[in-house]
Amino acid sequence: MQIDLETLYQEALVWDAHAGVFPSPEVNLDLLDEWHAGGISYLSINVGFDVMNWRDTLATLAAYRRWVLDNNDRFELAATIDDIDRARAEGRFALSFDIEGMNALNDDLNMVGLYHALGVRQMLFAYNLNNSAAGGCHDDDSGLTEFGRALVHEMNRVGVIVDCSHAGYTTTMDIMHESVKPVVFSHSNPRAVWQHQRNISDEQIQACAATGGVVGLNGMGIFLGDNDIAIDTLLRHVLYVSDLVGPSHIGIGFDYSPDIDLDIGEILRSRPDYWPAGQQYDTHDIKHAGPAQLPALLDALARTGFDETAIRGFLGENFRRVAAATWQ
Ligand SMILES: [Zn+2]
C-alpha cells in the first residue's frame, strides 16, 4: 500500500532529540519557529555544555525558561509526554532542555534534581573531553567514574534521559551496563558509515538497542561524511542502524542550528582542545541537515521499504517510548 507521506508527516509526532544552538542567555529564541514551521513537534534544546562553567549554564537555563514561559501561546515547556501531546493538539511547539556534560553539576549530585525541576529532561556525561564523571570521545578512554555511576542512578531515579553522545567508548558501555532505564545516543552517527571519533561503533549501537534505547541521526556534515548532507548520505546512516538493530532504535537528533547573531569566537578560541585537530572541525562552512531535509529523507526511506510504523518510529515514536519509560 502506498503511504501518503505528506499527511503522515503532518500528523505524526516529530521528535528532534537535540538542537545544536550555542547556549547563551543572549540567544533570541524566536529562532525556534524554524523547527516548528519545519514540522517538528518537540525539540530538546541545550542550555549548557562542558566548555561553559555551571553558573553560565544556570543563567542560560533561567533565560530560556523565562522566555518559553512568557511565550506560552506558541511554546510549551514540556515536563511530561502528556504536555507534548496537548501542545501538539493546540498547535504549539513543545520543548524541554538538555545539558551536554556534567561540569554543569559543579560536582554536586543534588543538581540533577534541581535541573529536572527547572525543565531539563536529558543529560549527557562528558562533552568530548574527560571530566569528573566520565570520559569524552576525544580523550583518553577512561570510563565512568564513581561519581558518574552515582549520576546514572540519580538520573534514573529523578527521571532524566541518560544520553551517551559525546562520551568515550568505555564510558558509554559502563553507562549502558549501569542504567536501569533505556539509554540514548541523542545525536550520534554510525562509525561504520563514516569514520569519526564522535561517531559510534556497532557494539555501542547494539548495547544501546539492548537497553531499549534510540540512536538519533546527527545532521552535521562532518559526522555524516566529508561535509556531506546529501539525502542519500543521511539515508545510508539511518539504514545502517536500522539494519543492525531494527527500525525501533533510530530517531532524529539533528544537532541543527540556524546562523545566530552571537560572538562565540572567544569561548571557542579559549578551549580549542574540545575540538581537536584532525577531526574535521576546521572544515570551512560546515553544512548541516535539519528539519528542511526530512520530507525528502522520508520519501527515500519509504522507497527502501520502510513501512508506516517504521517511519513513525523514526520520526518520534521511538524517542517517545524512551521518554515515557524515563520521565516522571
Ligand atoms: Zn552535541
Side-chain angles (χ1 to χ4, degrees):
M1 194 184 75
Q2 190 78 18
I3 311 171
D4 178 354
L5 286 172
E6 209 169 311
T7 306
L8 191 157
Y9 187 53
Q10 277 167 16
E11 67 174 38
L13 169 71
V14 186
W15 187 293
D16 187 342
H18 183 70
V21 178
F22 190 92
S24 161
E26 308 295 317
V27 171
N28 180 351
L29 291 183
D30 280 327
L31 59 77
L32 293 169
D33 283 327
E34 183 175 338
W35 277 265
H36 199 208
I40 308 295
S41 326
Y42 163 84
L43 177 70
S44 180
I45 181 167
N46 54 321
V47 294
F49 67 143
D50 273 349
V51 187
M52 292 161 57
N53 67 51
W54 67 276
R55 292 177 198 83
D56 289 342
T57 297
L58 262 184
T60 304
L61 171 55
Y64 284 13
R65 196 168 181 279
R66 178 177 179 184
W67 190 93
V68 174
L69 295 173
D70 280 353
N71 290 277
N72 69 356
D73 55 325
R74 288 184 289 157
F75 298 92
E76 167 75 18
L77 181 55
T80 64
I81 298 284
D82 286 348
D83 289 344
I84 295 174
D85 289 339
R86 198 180 61 254
R88 279 177 67 213
E90 295 167 357
R92 294 183 302 129
F93 188 37
L95 295 167
S96 58
F97 304 124
D98 66 73
I99 297 175
E100 297 188 275
M102 297 301 184
N103 283 352
L105 300 180
N106 192 31
D107 288 326
D108 183 354
L109 180 127
N110 294 325
M111 293 285 277
V112 175
L114 178 68
Y115 280 126
H116 178 271
L118 296 175
V120 173
R121 287 293 177 277
Q122 177 177 293
M123 292 181 74
L124 59 81
F125 285 72
Y127 185 90
N128 297 354
L129 300 185
N130 297 354
N131 60 25
S132 63
C137 65
H138 293 319
D139 207 330
D140 296 336
D141 189 20
S142 56
L144 197 62
T145 67
E146 276 310 309
F147 179 51
R149 223 173 287 280
L151 289 177
V152 176
H153 301 150
E154 181 66 358
M155 290 164 74
N156 285 168
R157 187 184 74 83
V158 167
V160 175
I161 290 177
V162 175
D163 184 358
C164 281
S165 281
H166 286 280
Y169 167 83
T170 301
T171 287
T172 66
M173 299 306 282
D174 290 346
I175 290 169
M176 292 187 281
H177 177 76
E178 208 65 41
S179 180
V180 298
K181 296 287 173 65
V183 173
V184 305
F185 286 86
S186 66
H187 56 301
S188 291
N189 293 335
R191 202 176 282 188
V193 179
W194 183 248
Q195 190 66 33
H196 192 290
Q197 286 177 5
R198 258 289 275 121
N199 289 349
I200 56 176
S201 68
D202 288 5
E203 195 185 352
Q204 288 169 296
I205 295 166
Q206 286 163 328
C208 171
T211 71
V214 178
V215 176
L217 172 70
N218 191 311
M220 200 176 277
I222 62 169
F223 302 141
L224 289 161
D226 186 13
N227 201 16
D228 173 11
I229 60 166
I231 297 299
D232 278 353
T233 304
L234 294 163
L235 180 69
R236 211 157 39 242
H237 283 270
V238 174
L239 291 182
Y240 186 84
V241 177
S242 176
D243 288 345
L244 187 66
V245 292
S248 55
H249 301 288
I250 51 168
I252 296 160
F254 275 138
D255 204 5
Y256 174 77
S257 175
D259 289 335
I260 52 173
D261 185 20
L262 191 70
D263 184 13
I264 54 176
E266 191 186 326
I267 188 164
L268 300 187
R269 276 190 300 273
S270 71
R271 291 304 304 270
D273 47 331
Y274 276 98
W275 301 276
Q279 294 294 320
Q280 301 168 264
Y281 292 116
D282 56 353
T283 302
H284 176 67
D285 194 19
I286 293 176
K287 294 192 174 70
H288 219 131
Q293 275 71 32
L294 262 181
L297 179 58
L298 292 193
D299 196 49
L301 280 170
R303 276 188 276 110
T304 67
F306 259 51
D307 63 14
E308 186 174 333
T309 305
I311 289 175
R312 284 184 189 275
F314 168 66
L315 282 176
E317 294 300 327
N318 294 337
F319 269 121
R320 176 213 276 265
R321 181 187 71 232
V322 171
T326 308
W327 292 355
Q328 292 168 10

